[in-house]
């Protein structure tokens, strides 16, 4: 039986993909954390298969570069009706912010890569076969009761707890939050197979009212089918070897395929009443669960981890005010709900219920494609809600730059003075970053403001146009923006922006006002030296 630390800064409950992402982000920020999981082994059920560019960017923040786990870029997603033919096609080829718009992957590969990353962070301990059974918040800390496989128990004191313990979350129950929403009436059989005789290279939704079937290709020579079971069809019979072979026969000789995994699920559309109570936070499926029709369950959980972990780190390590943690719920819950609503809408197209509804809904979608702006919106991922906040931890207001506070900063390729070429997020690292677009913003900071910013985990980066040799930075790094994604793409010459470690734009304005921008940022974060940075009256 492993010995557990008696006191940590953050206890992460659940070492699924979201708990692992959170633990690796906390480790990257130098936070002392313990991550536990009741299961001694990695869970290998067939679950998440698709990730978007936002998820891949968050995994990059976690320290997983492209190639850290196998992925397969998907060029398009097609939706097919038995009555109207192809009624929608979404272009997913190409990339956004340095990552493919859509890939498929094998969830256990990703989880292994994340766990390896977590083990490289000295401040993070992991304990498998350890279950959370109790939580009590008192005296400015949370006391967690943990049970080992042999039945013995231990108490761990944590400043904060992240419940990443999945849809049936014990953490959510222990802090008394409801999980409101809807459970679908249908069962779905998920089958992953290898050696498929006629493989496809994309994702397709076969929207037959009697047997809706999403079908997609995945790395490692795999294909996935998700078969909706008909009323009266038993789970056992459908998932039996014969049942699976019958369902797959349309795609070739099933006996030549290797059935790797199968499972029957019911889908849910639910969100917790709040994403935190006191010092306890929910993330991933513990906070929200969605039907998988737009492949956003895990992606949403990764967004949670990225949004929450830097805030915890700033409170624990840089003296930021604990009140910034309230913005986790303000920022994440509305977006998670919008994604679930999109998945529910998509579900209505995928499983139309009967032939008349199929003709009507699929036919309407075909008609909408005749209207060019609507077609463009449908085909170019225009229906996907942006992860842009209207309220939260940023200075409100708009400026004349293209940057939107509360929105994510684009990512581009940067070249350093030594000729090395890196993605901008890798250059910025796990910092609060002051960007000077053209001029070196650091050179314009008063000494007290600069000292307070550095103490608050701040770092200065100068971004130059490609080939520009002006204004050498003397207080931070200086990089050329090779393709103009950031400058002039996002901000004009002479601009400054302060970007959170999760790459959300927190503040921006002319570089001539950089002292004010930094002071307002420090005030918002409530860091202890914010007062010292204030201008002398
Ligand atoms: C068929 C299907 C297809 C999907 N497709 C996609 C997709 O394409 N894209 C996508 O983004 N998402 C998809 N999802 C959703 C995705 O799989 C989940 O959102 C994701 O796995 C949730 O991760 P998590 O870490 O929050 O929870 P989990 O993976 O459930 O991990 C929770 C962990 O907590 C542990 N635990 C539970 N209780 C305790 C306790 N009391 N003490 C200690 N440990 C505990 C569990 O053992 C588990 O390891 C799909 C889901 C399904 C079912």
């Amino acid at each position: 039986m492993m010995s557990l630390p008696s006191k940590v800064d953050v206890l992460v409950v659940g070492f699924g993909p979201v708990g692992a992402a959170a633990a690796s982000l906390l480790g990257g920020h130098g936070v002392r954390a313990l991550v536990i999981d009741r299961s001694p082994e990695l869970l290998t059920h067939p679950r998440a298969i698709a990730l978007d560019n936002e998820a891949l960017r968050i995994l990059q923040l976690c320290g997983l570069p492209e190639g850290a786990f196998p992925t397969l870029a998907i060029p398009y997603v097609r939706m097919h009706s038995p009555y109207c033919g192809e009624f929608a096609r979404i272009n997913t080829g190409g990339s956004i912010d340095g990552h493919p718009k859509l890939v498929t992957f094998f969830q256990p590969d990703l989880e292994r890569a994340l766990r390896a990353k977590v083990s490289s962070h000295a401040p993070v301990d992991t304990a498998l076969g350890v279950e959370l059974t109790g939580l009590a918040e008192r005296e400015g800390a949370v006391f967690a009761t943990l049970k080992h496989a042999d039945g013995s128990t231990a108490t761990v004191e944590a400043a904060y707890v992240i419940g990443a313990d999945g849809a049936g979350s014990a953490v959510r129950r222990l802090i008394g939050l409801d999980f409101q929403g809807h459970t679908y009436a249908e069962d779905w059989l998920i089958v992953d197979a290898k050696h498929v005789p006629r493989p496809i290279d994309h994702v397709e939704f076969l929207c037959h009212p009697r047997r809706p079937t999403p079908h997609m290709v995945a790395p490692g020579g795999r294909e996935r089918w998700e078969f909706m079971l008909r009323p009266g069809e038993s789970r056992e019979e459908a998932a039996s070897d014969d049942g699976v072979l019958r369902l797959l026969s349309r795609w070739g000789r099933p006996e030549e395929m290797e059935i790797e995994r199968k499972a029957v699920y019911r889908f849910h559309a639910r969100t917790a009443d709040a994403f935190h109570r006191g010092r306890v936070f929910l993330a991933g499926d513990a906070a929200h669960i969605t039907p998988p029709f737009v492949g956003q369950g895990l992606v949403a959980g990764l967004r949670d981890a990225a949004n929450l972990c830097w805030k915890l780190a700033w409170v624990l390590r840089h003296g930021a005010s604990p009140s910034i943690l309230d913005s986790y719920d303000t920022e994440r819950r509305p977006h998670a709900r919008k994604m679930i609503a999109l998945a529910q809408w998509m579900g209505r197209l995928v499983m139309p219920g009967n032939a008349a509804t199929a003709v009507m809904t699929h036919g309407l979608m075909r008609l909408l494609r005749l209207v060019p702006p609507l077609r463009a919106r449908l085909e170019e991922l225009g229906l996907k809600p942006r992860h842009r906040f209207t309220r939260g931890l940023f200075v409100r207001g708009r400026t004349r730059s293209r940057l939107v506070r509360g929105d994510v900063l684009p990512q581009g390729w940067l070249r350093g003075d030594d000729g090395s070429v890196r993605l901008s997020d890798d250059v910025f690292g796990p910092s609060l970053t002051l960007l000077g677009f053209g001029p070196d913003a650091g050179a314009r900071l008063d000494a007290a403001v600069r000292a307070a910013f550095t103490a608050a985990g701040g770092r200065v980066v100068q971004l130059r146009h490609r080939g520009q040799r002006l204004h050498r930075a003397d207080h931070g790094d200086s990089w050329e923006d090779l393709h103009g994604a950031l400058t002039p793409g996002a901000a004009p010459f002479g601009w400054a922006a302060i970007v959170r470690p999760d790459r959300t734009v927190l503040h921006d304005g002319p570089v001539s006002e950089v002292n004010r921008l930094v002071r307002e940022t420090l005030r918002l974060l409530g860091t202890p030296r914010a007062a010292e940075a204030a201008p002398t009256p």
Side-chain angles (χ1 to χ4, degrees), residues 12-21 35-43 45-52 55 102-105 107 111 115 127-134 145-147 163-171 173-174 188-191 216 224-226 263-268 283-302 304:
V12 181
V13 183
F15 206 14
V18 175
V35 53
I36 61 158
D37 201 294
R38 69 180 172 198
S39 167
E41 310 284 343
L42 202 79
L43 303 180
H45 321 303
R47 297 195 295 165
I49 188 162
L51 291 174
D52 66 5
L102 185 69
V103 298
T104 52
F105 73 113
Q107 187 168 341
E111 294 196 37
R115 287 185 176 198
L128 300 180
V130 173
E131 180 177 6
L132 174 97
T133 56
T145 309
L146 307 183
K147 191 169 105 190
D165 51 344
S169 175
V171 174
R173 176 175 46 77
L174 289 166
W188 289 77
L189 170 68
I190 315 300
V191 180
M216 59 218 77
R224 151 90 51 105
W225 289 264
E226 300 178 354
V264 179
Y265 294 99
R266 254 179 205 212
F267 299 148
H268 313 266
D285 279 13
H288 43 72
I289 182 162
T290 174
F293 302 121
V294 288
Q296 284 285 322
L298 172 54
V299 178
L302 293 173
D304 297 340

Side-chain angles (χ1 to χ4, degrees), residues 96-110:
I96 300 178
D97 292 339
H99 292 285
K101 288 181 194 166
L102 185 69
V103 298
T104 52
F105 73 113
F106 187 60
Q107 187 168 341
D109 286 342
L110 166 65

